[in-house]
Amino acid sequence: TPPVDVFEEADHLLVLAEVPGVGPADVAVSVTGATLTLTAENARKKYRAEVPLPFAPAADAVSHTCTNGVLEVRVGR
């Protein structure tokens, strides 16, 4: 399980996860109800985390980037 931090911003939640050794193409983000699932996997590394959210966002309200081993997920309200 990667280290994960959740921050409440004015109009969204910001979820940061440390996933060293994987790139943007190795990342998958999904939402089921009020649970955010983060998966990052390649031939050498594998990470998975389930993050409980304070609300159930719409699937199109979730976006992510992965840069230098940091997965950044924005969850709109």
Side-chain angles (χ1 to χ4, degrees):
T1 302
V4 176
D5 291 309
V6 179
F7 302 95
E8 290 198 37
E9 303 285 328
D11 61 343
H12 65 277
L13 291 178
L14 177 62
V15 180
L16 299 177
E18 295 178 26
V19 290
V22 298
D26 304 322
V27 173
V29 176
S30 64
V31 176
T32 303
T35 302
L36 177 69
T37 302
L38 312 173
T39 307
E41 179 177 359
N42 63 21
R44 299 173 318 214
K45 303 284 184 171
K46 183 175 182 177
Y47 303 97
R48 179 177 165 80
E50 290 187 356
V51 182
L53 301 173
F55 57 90
D60 63 349
V62 178
S63 63
H64 70 278
T65 60
C66 185
T67 307
N68 296 327
V70 177
L71 174 58
E72 185 175 302
V73 182
R74 294 183 188 278
V75 181
R77 295 188 187 268

